[in-house]
Amino acid sequence: MARILGGITTSHIPAVGNAIANKLFDDPYWKPFFDAYPPIHDWLARVKPDVVINIYNDHGLGFFLDKMPTFAIGAAHEYRNEDEGWGIPQLPPFPGDAAFSWHIIEGMVADEFDITSCQELAVDHGFTVPMQLFWPKLGQDPNFPRAIPISANTVQHPIPTLHRALEFGRSLRKAILSWPRDIRVVVLGTGGLSHQLDGQRAGFINTAFDKYCMEKIVSAPDELTRISRMELVEKAGAQGTEFLMWLMMRGALGEKVNLLTQNYHVPISNTGAGTMLLECAD
Ligand code: DHB
Ligand code: FE
């Protein structure tokens, strides 16, 4: 039976992709951010997941405003990265696990989640930057897992509610655990925390709210579902809606988790950057 080992969160700021390309790990601006990752590398080297489910939000590469799925799951044998215009070096394709994807999609649709299945999907910085942060050698790493991308709409309103995001994760958990093969799975929740890239509040960051979210997501995620979508935009900024990905990830981990490591650093580019490693305790 498939097992869920834990979940990891990180912001996915495109400037991080360029900092990685330029090896700025010890640069004074970047060091407090990159220092969060070695403990996570150690954990991943120890638990050796076979599959990573990367819950991210596409920003206009895989989907655009003309067609915007609320919840989309990759069902491809590989996922290619393309030039998005941020100047980040393009990465080689990521190997997928189409059979496992279809099992998840079938399970979740039977559980009454309406999913867009994607047999072809280009993945953007929301997917690639976390993969680089957690597996710095990418495909050269002998333990590099197969990837399944899951994207939710945080771009074009109406976006899903926080309650729906957490329930999505719980349904995803049931689908994963019903896969009969003996594989080990980690789930990523990427994006966030507070940021707003444009408009009158460009540059808005809310450290107090970010810290509240990081605290509650460990032991009281249901409390966070009382936040309305309007309130989320108000408190976290227009792009802070990416916190939905963290709730989707959290739902997949079961009721009890142990917090193994966390980091919060502000700002990186325009964003409150949060990193957490949660191990499943159920
Ligand atoms: C930034 C953050 C994001 O989440 C994103 O998708 C693009 C840019 C930023 O802070 O620069
Ligand atoms: Fe983003």
Side-chain angles (χ1 to χ4, degrees):
M1 193 181 94
R3 271 186 60 202
I4 303 173
L5 306 167
I8 326 175
T9 71
T10 180
S11 307
H12 61 215
I13 305 148
V16 171
N18 278 319
I20 291 172
N22 294 312
K23 298 190 169 52
L24 299 180
F25 309 109
D26 292 320
D27 178 279
Y29 179 84
W30 288 102
K31 191 171 170 17
F33 171 79
F34 283 119
D35 277 353
Y37 295 87
I40 296 173
H41 301 156
D42 293 346
W43 184 78
L44 286 169
R46 187 161 59 76
V47 303
K48 294 188 181 57
D50 302 293
V51 173
V52 53
I53 298 187
N54 185 331
I55 302 178
Y56 76 111
N57 60 294
D58 180 85
H59 302 70
L61 183 76
F63 312 108
F64 200 60
L65 302 181
D66 58 338
K67 297 177 198 73
M68 183 54 66
T70 300
F71 294 115
I73 301 186
H77 295 290
E78 67 170 27
Y79 303 94
R80 63 181 197 287
N81 175 221
E82 289 179 3
D83 182 9
E84 308 168 55
W86 289 103
I88 322 173
Q90 227 167 297
L91 300 177
F94 293 82
D97 187 334
F100 188 30
S101 288
W102 280 115
H103 173 83
I104 291 170
I105 293 165
E106 284 190 24
M108 292 190 68
V109 172
D111 200 29
E112 300 183 347
F113 270 86
D114 304 316
I115 304 292
T116 300
S117 56
C118 305
Q119 298 198 62
E120 193 178 23
L121 182 61
V123 287
D124 73 4
H125 66 274
F127 177 99
T128 59
V129 166
M131 295 300 281
Q132 286 180 284
L133 284 167
F134 298 139
W135 290 274
K137 296 188 195 145
L138 294 172
Q140 310 308 314
D141 183 339
N143 295 322
F144 191 53
R146 304 184 292 281
I148 297 179
I150 297 185
S151 177
N153 169 29
T154 63
V155 173
Q156 176 159 275
H157 292 266
I159 62 173
T161 63
L162 286 81
H163 178 249
R164 192 66 172 158
L166 187 62
E167 291 302 315
F168 180 102
R170 288 176 173 151
S171 177
L172 171 64
R173 175 178 178 82
K174 282 190 271 176
I176 294 170
L177 296 184
S178 67
W179 181 235
R181 290 188 205 160
D182 196 12
I183 57 166
R184 299 152 72 78
V185 178
V186 292
V187 186
L188 310 186
T190 87
L193 288 165
S194 62
H195 61 304
Q196 172 143 347
L197 300 179
D198 48 21
Q200 283 182 351
R201 292 202 306 163
F204 173 83
I205 289 179
N206 186 345
T207 296
F209 183 68
D210 289 344
K211 292 200 165 158
Y212 171 78
C213 290
M214 287 178 79
E215 185 198 320
K216 292 295 173 191
I217 202 160
V218 180
S219 52
D222 286 284
E223 218 172 286
L224 293 165
T225 66
R226 292 193 210 127
I227 301 169
S228 74
R229 291 165 291 175
M230 283 300 283
E231 242 181 298
L232 184 62
V233 172
E234 198 179 296
K235 293 194 166 141
Q239 280 73 42
T241 51
E242 292 176 350
F243 183 63
L244 288 173
M245 315 297 108
W246 291 42
L247 279 173
M248 290 163 72
M249 177 278 308
R250 180 63 185 85
L253 304 187
E255 291 313 306
K256 214 174 160 311
V257 294
N258 294 322
L259 171 65
L260 297 191
T261 162
Q262 68 176 336
N263 187 53
Y264 180 73
H265 182 67
V266 59
I268 286 295
S269 189
N270 296 290
T271 298
T275 309
M276 301 183 84
L277 170 58
L278 303 172
E279 192 169 56
C280 293
D282 285 347

